[in-house]
Amino acid sequence: MKVAWAGSREAFQVSDRMAKLVANDPVFEKFSKPMLGRKELFKNTLRKAAYAWKLINDLRLTEEEAKWLRHYIDEPNYTDLHWEMFVPAIEGQGTKEQKKKWLPLAQTMQIIGTYAQTELGHGSNVQGLETTATFDRQTDEFVMHSPTLTSSKWWPGGMAKVATHAIVYARLIIDGLFHGVHGFIVQLRSLEDHSPLPGLTLGDIGMKFGHGTYNTMDNGVLRFDHVRIPRNQMLMRVSQVTKEGKYAQSDVPRQLLYGTMVSVRQTIVADASKALSRAVCIATRYSVVRRQFGSRNGGPETQVIDYKTQQSRLFPLLASAYAFRFVGEWLKSLYIDVKQRLEANDFSTLPETHACTAGLKALTTAATADGIEECRKLCGGHGYLISSGLPELFAFYVPACSYEGENVVMMLQVARFLVKTVSNLGYKQPVGTAAYLGRVTPLLQNNCAVQTAEDWLNPDAILEAFEARAARMVIGCGERLAMFENPEEGFAELSIDLVEASLAHCQLITVSVFIQKLNHEIPGNGVKRSLEVLCYVYALFLLHKHQGDFLATGYLTPKQASLANEQLRTLYSKVRPNAIAFVDSFNHMDHYLCSVLGRYDGNVYPKLYEAAWKDPLNDSDIVDGIQQYVQPILKQKLHYAKL
Ligand SMILES: CCCCCCCCCCCCCCCC(=O)SCCNC(=O)CCNC(=O)[C@H](O)C(C)(C)COP(=O)(O)OP(=O)(O)OC[C@H]1O[C@@H](n2cnc3c(N)ncnc32)[C@H](O)[C@@H]1OP(=O)(O)O
Ligand SMILES: Cc1cc2nc3c(=O)[nH]c(=O)nc-3n(C[C@H](O)[C@H](O)[C@H](O)COP(=O)(O)OP(=O)(O)OC[C@H]3O[C@@H](n4cnc5c(N)ncnc54)[C@H](O)[C@@H]3O)c2cc1C
């Protein structure tokens, strides 16, 4: 099962080796983080990042090993942006010459980069960005400028205090004409003394949600006051500006400029499964340890994991962690394929890849953020302690619903793709994840044939249900849209339904990928049978949660919906005996979980009690302030005037 979760034996070995390397190195200790002030916390992160970079070089780690090392260090910091966005942006949007010049500097960290796209006034709407890059043909330079307060770059990670360079997205202006938003390599700080270069205002945007979490990252604000950069620092794979000031757009879609975001969105789906699996591991192990009520004649009380309500909240999240793991693997292969095609200037799968990365990013991050919070609640009061590991994980994780594409905005991109697919149905057969829309007649006409709860243990019945639901919702939106004279107005008016139809489409993808994974990639019987149970839990949980869609579209009868719910209850009893095996298969070490409740040894109460005494408030019995502020109250015998 560990290999199934890791994806392969080699992947398991790499991640296991890196997890142990981090867990066994005191430099990467995490428990004290929440007690540090912002400056100490930040310096602590710089120290860890420097030590990690030395480890990577001393041990000559591979790129894959280095990714896992950074992952298990489990601390947002400037290297995330450098490796996940700055380097990929140059790789994806730089010309050969630009890659030749900048990549060796970036890959040896002689320069440290960030990705500066979002501004105070615009994040989702990239075409609305206000920073300008005006071409000066006299000097063969671009003049970077922040014309308004809202044009201030705002949020880029690592930009406030660490990054020496940034890919800055700005409006290209030539002779007063706007030629779209493009990426520019801009140096921010001196490589000698790290001071901001002339014309640049740089700072941190302030504390963020949660304490020890994203405050290890210096998300920055940046303003330009007519800063000049050489013309060859505009990323020119997609579009070019000649020395004479002529703008040329290559015959590639302008959306390749968005390629870095697509790349990160597909990694964010894999990260969602990791984050959700951490929370589920903690809540499952604790639900086995925790006993409450149910004692018979002095016997032990009931383990809370045996309550059906606990199972109905926990096991769908366990199943979702596996579903997101597998769909993340599938998405990565889709992305690798599109990258290879782009090399050959084949853009045929770019729209679908964009829709899948956008939609699955939104689906998995929303479900994971809600899932982490549900796992906190599944642990009762102790889940609210920092030592449970859950509040910090939640605070660390939730921005994923906003960054790299706000989730609703992303679902609307899926809707745009689906509406276009439906409008082309007459003369273009949909393929890939939208292929089911090409079989729309049976999906609209045939209703569910399930007669018994057992009938739901059939992947074909499940797949047909999810295809019919999505098809009926998407086609329904298409039909209503057709009634609007102005398609854009119709799209805006129907956007709520369109987002729901997009979610149905994305849930179909996750369910079908889970089924495909079981049919084609999981060998043998034991592991396969156990994962089949989780696949049915995932699908029937979604069917139950969204049964309104299945009923409203006429595909399901209320009876069939209740049979699905009955089967779900039965499935929970099948998950229960393997619950600990499922979460142990994540191979999360105690260091990574950073949770007293999720300890591998289950030794919760003594360790909870021990952790409490580490709080600085327990350094003394009579703490500072008692004499000055509490004793006087006790002695003054003051009371409310009306007593
Ligand atoms: C344990 C857990 C660890 C977690 C931790 C580690 C994680 C790894 C560390 C990094 C940590 C993250 C740090 C956050 C980093 C930021 O957040 S970076 C900033 C991210 N910002 C965004 O994502 C902005 C989102 N907005 C957008 O992408 C664009 O504005 C939108 C929404 C796509 C609209 O773009 P637009 O140019 O107005 O285009 P639009 O008119 O909507 O569409 C035009 C056409 O282009 C197409 N199109 C649009 N975009 C694309 C695209 N990307 N590709 C292809 N086609 C496209 C459309 O489909 C449409 O096609 P047609 O319908 O015409 O055929
Ligand atoms: C922790 C963190 C790290 C970040 N790191 C970086 C970074 O390194 N580099 C970088 O460039 N950016 C970064 N960002 C910024 C991030 O990319 C943006 O915040 C994100 O893209 C969301 O954009 P926004 O803030 O403009 O949201 P908005 O779009 O303003 O969202 C506000 C509300 O408006 C709604 N909305 C917006 N447009 C529409 C529409 N057309 N239809 C319907 N509803 C709509 C949204 O659904 C949302 O509910 C980071 C953000 C965070 C939180």
Side-chain angles (χ1 to χ4, degrees):
M1 186 69 82
K2 285 188 176 180
V3 171
W5 172 261
S8 69
R9 191 162 301 286
E10 302 68 37
F12 170 76
Q13 285 160 355
V14 169
S15 61
D16 185 54
R17 200 166 53 247
M18 292 301 107
K20 288 182 175 119
L21 181 65
V22 172
N24 298 325
D25 192 324
V27 167
F28 298 123
E29 181 277 328
K30 300 196 288 189
F31 259 105
S32 61
K33 263 178 30 176
M35 323 292 184
L36 301 177
R38 175 89 201 273
K39 284 185 172 176
E40 286 171 285
L41 186 70
F42 186 63
K43 187 176 177 185
N44 190 40
T45 301
L46 299 182
R47 178 177 60 83
K48 288 184 185 178
Y51 179 79
W53 181 235
K54 187 171 180 316
L55 266 189
I56 289 168
N57 286 284
D58 291 353
L59 302 178
R60 306 179 66 73
L61 298 185
T62 64
E63 191 175 334
E64 188 65 10
E65 288 168 328
K67 264 186 193 286
W68 277 110
L69 182 85
R70 283 198 296 273
H71 173 71
Y72 282 118
I73 292 170
D74 185 26
E75 200 150 301
N77 67 75
Y78 65 90
T79 61
D80 292 339
L81 272 297
H82 179 79
W83 294 109
E84 304 287 342
M85 298 203 79
F86 180 73
V87 171
I90 297 172
E91 285 170 337
Q93 297 160 46
T95 61
K96 281 195 183 66
E97 299 71 26
Q98 288 172 325
K99 287 191 266 194
K100 192 160 174 274
K101 171 181 179 183
W102 293 100
L103 285 181
L105 293 171
Q107 282 158 350
T108 53
M109 290 198 91
Q110 293 174 72
I111 61 174
I112 296 173
T114 182
Y115 184 89
Q117 179 177 290
T118 302
E119 296 172 354
L120 193 56
H122 292 91
S124 293
N125 179 7
V126 176
Q127 292 307 312
L129 294 177
E130 295 176 83
T131 301
T132 54
T134 307
F135 181 59
D136 180 345
R137 66 169 57 75
Q138 309 308 321
T139 60
D140 198 28
E141 292 169 321
F142 292 107
V143 179
M144 308 299 291
H145 186 56
S146 306
T148 59
L149 176 68
T150 47
S151 66
S152 308
K153 288 298 173 187
W154 190 273
W155 272 114
M159 187 172 78
K161 303 297 175 187
V162 180
T164 61
H165 289 72
I167 307 289
V168 176
Y169 283 81
R171 307 172 70 77
L172 172 61
I173 312 279
I174 306 173
D175 301 331
L177 279 181
F178 168 53
H179 291 280
V181 170
H182 296 271
F184 299 81
I185 301 174
V186 183
Q187 184 169 349
L188 307 178
R189 291 177 175 273
S190 152
L191 292 175
E192 303 311 318
D193 65 5
H194 223 78
S195 57
L197 293 184
L200 291 172
T201 305
L202 276 166
D204 189 277
I205 62 172
M207 293 280 278
K208 290 146 289 203
F209 183 64
H211 178 64
T213 53
Y214 237 97
N215 291 305
T216 55
M217 174 81 83
D218 54 322
N219 296 89
V221 48
L222 161 65
R223 286 186 59 73
F224 295 102
D225 179 4
H226 302 93
V227 174
R228 290 176 171 272
I229 61 170
R231 175 171 57 87
N232 67 7
Q233 286 184 209
M234 170 179 152
L235 293 175
M236 292 205 200
R237 177 178 174 218
V238 176
S239 311
Q240 299 79 34
V241 175
T242 66
K243 194 174 166 49
E244 296 68 36
K246 190 172 171 320
Y247 174 74
Q249 160 97 19
S250 308
D251 55 352
V252 296
R254 78 171 165 83
Q255 283 78 16
L256 282 189
L257 282 167
Y258 295 165
T260 310
M261 294 186 277
V262 175
S263 152
V264 178
R265 285 173 196 149
Q266 61 92 19
T267 62
I268 286 176
V269 172
D271 289 329
S273 67
K274 293 170 190 159
L276 184 56
S277 66
R278 280 171 76 173
V280 165
C281 184
I282 294 167
T284 303
R285 286 179 176 166
Y286 181 67
S287 297
V288 166
V289 169
R290 184 68 170 180
R291 289 176 179 273
Q292 204 70 200
F293 298 110
S295 160
R296 302 260 181 285
N297 45 51
E301 292 180 72
T302 302
Q303 292 170 293
V304 297
I305 198 167
D306 288 328
Y307 290 119
K308 276 294 180 193
T309 49
Q310 191 84 354
Q311 293 178 3
S312 71
R313 294 159 58 198
L314 179 58
F315 292 164
L317 295 176
L318 170 63
S320 299
Y322 277 89
F324 297 169
R325 176 80 189 84
F326 297 148
V327 83
E329 253 179 7
W330 170 84
L331 192 62
K332 184 175 180 181
S333 59
L334 183 76
Y335 177 72
I336 290 169
D337 174 69
V338 82
K339 267 187 77 172
Q340 286 161 354
R341 288 168 183 265
L342 293 181
E343 290 305 319
N345 276 357
D346 167 3
F347 310 111
S348 57
T349 60
L350 188 60
E352 182 184 25
T353 307
H354 166 50
C356 287
T357 47
L360 291 170
K361 180 267 175 190
L363 183 158
T364 56
T365 54
T368 297
D370 294 346
I372 295 169
E373 170 59 2
E374 189 62 25
C375 287
R376 184 190 65 75
K377 290 187 278 190
L378 281 160
C379 296
H382 303 341
Y384 192 61
L385 283 168
I386 291 288
S387 59
S388 77
L390 289 163
E392 295 282 279
L393 177 58
F394 180 74
F396 160 70
Y397 188 78
V398 290
C401 297
S402 309
Y403 63 54
E404 220 53 73
E406 197 282 330
N407 282 353
V408 167
V409 173
M410 292 296 101
M411 278 302 182
L412 288 168
Q413 286 292 306
V414 179
R416 184 163 180 156
F417 167 76
L418 293 170
V419 163
K420 191 164 187 180
T421 303
V422 167
S423 63
N424 292 341
L425 276 182
Y427 47 91
K428 193 177 171 193
Q429 192 59 13
V431 293
T433 52
Y436 69 98
L437 291 172
R439 288 181 270 109
V440 78
T441 309
L443 288 173
L444 294 185
Q445 286 165 3
N446 304 343
N447 289 337
C448 182
V450 159
Q451 300 293 319
T452 67
E454 276 301 305
D455 289 344
W456 278 117
L457 298 182
N458 169 351
D460 296 339
I462 285 179
L463 215 42
E464 188 188 280
F466 276 81
E467 287 185 344
R469 169 214 182 192
R472 293 177 186 208
M473 292 175 77
V474 173
I475 298 294
C477 284
E479 287 163 351
R480 289 198 295 282
L481 258 177
M483 289 186 247
F484 284 82
E485 271 178 41
N486 177 323
E488 290 300 310
E489 269 175 29
F491 192 94
E493 182 57 29
L494 295 174
S495 51
I496 301 165
D497 307 51
L498 285 162
V499 166
E500 287 172 2
S502 301
L503 178 62
H505 173 77
C506 294
Q507 286 177 344
L508 166 60
I509 295 172
T510 46
V511 169
S512 58
V513 164
F514 206 151
I515 291 170
Q516 280 165 34
K517 176 84 180 177
L518 289 171
N519 291 344
H520 306 302
E521 293 176 45
I522 303 287
N525 261 328
V527 168
K528 188 177 181 115
R529 292 285 159 271
S530 308
L531 284 174
E532 258 171 9
V533 171
L534 288 189
C535 181
Y536 290 131
V537 166
Y538 179 69
L540 295 181
F541 163 73
L542 288 181
L543 192 147
H544 178 65
K545 182 179 177 189
H546 299 277
Q547 60 179 300
D549 292 348
F550 292 89
L551 295 169
T553 54
Y555 179 76
L556 274 195
T557 63
K559 172 70 180 158
Q560 290 166 328
S562 70
L563 287 171
N565 196 28
E566 184 188 319
Q567 182 53 253
L568 202 45
R569 276 198 311 275
T570 310
L571 286 164
Y572 292 151
S573 310
K574 292 181 181 171
V575 172
R576 171 62 184 93
N578 293 322
I580 288 299
F582 279 127
V583 299
D584 285 352
S585 301
F586 297 144
N587 198 37
H588 291 337
M589 299 186 74
D590 283 353
H591 172 272
Y592 179 56
L593 293 177
C594 202
S595 166
V596 175
L597 306 187
R599 294 173 57 88
Y600 183 77
D601 63 9
N603 188 25
V604 171
Y605 293 138
K607 290 299 181 183
L608 254 186
Y609 190 78
E610 186 185 303
W613 295 105
K614 290 180 183 156
D615 188 287
L617 210 52
N618 291 323
D619 289 351
S620 64
D621 281 335
I622 302 168
V623 294
D624 195 15
I626 294 294
Q627 303 291 6
Q628 193 175 355
Y629 300 112
V630 177
Q631 284 294 329
I633 291 172
L634 295 169
K635 294 191 170 68
Q636 281 166 358
K637 297 189 182 56
L638 294 181
H639 58 66
Y640 289 116
K642 291 194 179 62
L643 268 189

